[in-house]
Amino acid sequence: MANKPLAYTLNERKGTLGKYAGKIVIQARPTGRQRIDHRNFCEEVARATTFTGAEVEAVLRLAAEIAKKHVENGDIVDFGDLGTLSPSFQSKLVEKGKEEFIVNKHITKPKVLLRPNARYFRLEGVSYERIEMKPKKPAKPNPGSDTPGNSGL
């Protein structure tokens, strides 16, 4: 697959922090990205192997399921170049002596945390191409809103 430049646009906005607070600044933002769906991704991987796209998809799905089961048991899974998967959750604060800590009440939102491998996720050897931002379509007026010439009734 040949590398192509990463497309970006320049956007103006008002700075909110530090020395740029309140000033108009210009910032580059990536654009022109396409989403590669899972099935097409598996087919692309399959073309470089002796597996079919369905087999690649099955192996990826199985790997994710097994990794999740390990994480649900409290283990940390090294997922190769992608990084590590580990269990995480939020815990509410409970004042000592005022209330008893109740696991099902005070621990919430259990999830799998992905800690990406910094070396893998650092893009190297990329080039950039500036493209012009497409003008936004004007918003259609809401028939029930109070706009000039509309009494809202």
Side-chain angles (χ1 to χ4, degrees), residues 63 74 87 144 147:
T147 56

Side-chain angles (χ1 to χ4, degrees), residues 70-108:
H70 280 288
V71 174
E72 286 173 340
N73 288 323
D75 298 329
I76 297 172
V77 177
D78 181 343
F79 219 71
D81 287 344
L82 292 179
T84 58
L85 303 170
S86 59
S88 182
F89 53 78
Q90 291 183 359
S91 177
K92 296 179 181 177
L93 300 176
V94 176
E95 188 175 343
K96 187 175 180 177
K98 295 268 185 172
E99 185 180 351
E100 184 180 336
F101 187 89
I102 302 168
V103 172
N104 292 335
K105 177 180 177 185
H106 295 111
I107 294 180
T108 62

Side-chain angles (χ1 to χ4, degrees), residues 31-88:
T31 188
R33 298 169 287 185
Q34 293 181 346
R35 181 177 215 96
I36 308 301
D37 69 43
H38 186 67
R39 180 151 295 156
N40 286 334
F41 176 77
C42 290
E43 289 295 331
E44 188 173 348
V45 171
R47 285 192 290 275
T49 69
T50 59
F51 298 111
T52 67
E55 290 170 327
V56 170
E57 185 174 359
V59 168
L60 290 175
R61 183 176 289 120
L62 180 61
E65 287 175 14
I66 291 172
K68 185 176 181 192
K69 285 181 183 178
H70 280 288
V71 174
E72 286 173 340
N73 288 323
D75 298 329
I76 297 172
V77 177
D78 181 343
F79 219 71
D81 287 344
L82 292 179
T84 58
L85 303 170
S86 59
S88 182

Side-chain angles (χ1 to χ4, degrees), residues 3-43:
N3 286 348
K4 64 180 186 177
L6 295 178
Y8 70 93
T9 59
L10 292 180
N11 297 349
E12 284 186 13
R13 66 178 183 85
K14 187 181 280 190
T16 57
L17 299 172
K19 66 181 180 179
Y20 298 114
K23 298 178 182 174
I24 301 297
V25 295
I26 296 173
Q27 184 176 36
R29 300 195 78 184
T31 188
R33 298 169 287 185
Q34 293 181 346
R35 181 177 215 96
I36 308 301
D37 69 43
H38 186 67
R39 180 151 295 156
N40 286 334
F41 176 77
C42 290
E43 289 295 331

Side-chain angles (χ1 to χ4, degrees), residues 78 80-84 114-124:
D78 181 343
D81 287 344
L82 292 179
T84 58
L114 168 63
R115 287 202 166 96
N117 178 333
R119 190 178 73 237
Y120 178 78
F121 283 93
R122 188 176 321 122
L123 298 178
E124 298 172 358

